Amino acid sequence: QKEVEQNSGPLSVPEGAIASLNCTYSDRGSQSFFWYRQYSGKSPELIMSIYSNGDKEDGRFTAQLNKASQYVSLLIRDSQPSDSATYLCAVTGAGSYQLTFGKGTKLSVIP
Amino acid sequence: DAGVIQSPRHEVTEMGQEVTLRCKPISGHDYLFWYRQTMMRGLELLIYFNNNVPIDDSGMPEDRFSAKMPNASFSTLKIQPSEPRDSAVYFCASGGGGYEQYFGPGTRLTVT
């Protein structure tokens, strides 16, 4: 059974701070890793994808992948109240298009 | 370019009735996924298609659920008969051959 684990939160950070979201996965053969943002009552929105070890930056977002530790993280710099949402970590298995999602971490950015 | 389109956006039905959810993927995408999201279980994959062919339906909860993709621009998810425990938000997502998936707005289903 492939599992993706996230701390459910809520994670509260002050506006302008760095928010750090973490995710671990059980399938060592996992190859593709994604972060989705989901506002309340809305659909998941893809914000980051990462496929190899290391860091990937896109604007205020940085995804970090460590396959040896089976660990993925998302850093949000200069957090804004509009970043308040649930962040879902998703992982595919080897050669698979099937995404396994974590249950999400709820982030609250306090003005 | 239009994103994934789902209809209806909200559906309220009585137990035992047939429910049909519809999805139009992003043009040119050859993968289509159906998910269900509940507070208890999170986001779960029900079934996915590649080039209109069902590839993995192991997430379909029981025989009351069925899905079809008659052509590249249309898919349906049918529940017959519906039960209160089917109440959830159902999402359709599409992908273009990379592993990234793009979600539609979802259908909120309530079975009373």
Side-chain angles (χ1 to χ4, degrees):
Chain A
Q1 179 78 5
K2 299 174 185 176
E3 294 184 347
V4 178
E5 300 288 340
Q6 296 181 255
N7 188 321
S8 62
L11 173 66
S12 293
V13 300
E15 183 175 355
I18 296 175
S20 178
L21 305 163
N22 304 314
C23 170
T24 59
Y25 57 94
S26 63
D27 182 6
R28 190 167 285 278
S30 297
Q31 291 189 333
S32 306
F33 307 86
F34 305 91
W35 285 99
Y36 284 80
R37 177 176 62 199
Q38 187 173 25
Y39 293 113
S40 180
K42 301 296 185 181
S43 60
E45 174 192 8
L46 179 64
I47 56 172
M48 288 290 285
S49 59
I50 187 166
Y51 301 96
S52 56
N53 280 330
D55 295 359
K56 179 182 178 182
E57 186 175 317
D58 184 0
R60 295 187 296 112
F61 298 99
T62 299
Q64 299 175 316
L65 174 61
N66 184 327
K67 289 187 177 181
S69 300
Q70 296 176 240
Y71 180 90
V72 192
S73 65
L74 178 70
L75 301 178
I76 306 175
R77 290 181 300 282
D78 188 23
S79 295
Q80 301 297 309
S82 59
D83 295 326
S84 298
T86 296
Y87 290 79
L88 302 168
C89 175
V91 173
T92 62
S96 170
Y97 286 85
Q98 181 172 334
L99 280 177
T100 300
F101 281 84
K103 291 193 174 181
T105 297
K106 186 172 183 178
L107 172 67
S108 180
V109 180
I110 311 300
Chain B
D1 191 15
V4 176
I5 299 171
Q6 292 187 246
S7 65
R9 296 292 304 276
H10 302 272
E11 177 80 33
V12 180
T13 191
E14 292 184 347
M15 182 174 62
Q17 296 299 305
E18 177 179 294
V19 175
T20 300
L21 311 181
R22 297 173 177 80
C23 175
K24 176 180 171 57
I26 294 170
S27 178
H29 281 188
D30 50 8
Y31 283 86
L32 184 138
F33 306 83
W34 281 101
Y35 290 88
R36 177 172 68 175
Q37 187 175 39
T38 62
M39 289 292 293
M40 287 295 294
R41 300 175 66 89
L43 199 56
E44 302 173 286
L45 178 67
L46 300 177
I47 184 171
Y48 79 95
F49 296 83
N50 177 220
N51 292 323
N52 313 337
V53 176
I55 302 301
D56 187 342
D57 66 354
S58 60
M60 296 285 262
E62 48 198 276
D63 291 345
R64 298 185 297 107
F65 286 69
S66 62
K68 293 182 180 179
M69 192 166 186
N71 58 62
S73 58
F74 184 66
S75 177
T76 60
L77 178 68
K78 187 174 293 186
I79 308 172
Q80 166 63 18
S82 58
E83 296 183 3
R85 59 194 169 119
D86 301 330
S87 297
V89 181
Y90 291 80
F91 290 107
C92 175
S94 70
Y99 294 98
E100 299 177 347
Q101 297 180 22
Y102 299 90
F103 282 73
T107 296
R108 183 173 296 276
L109 174 64
T110 303
V111 184
T112 60

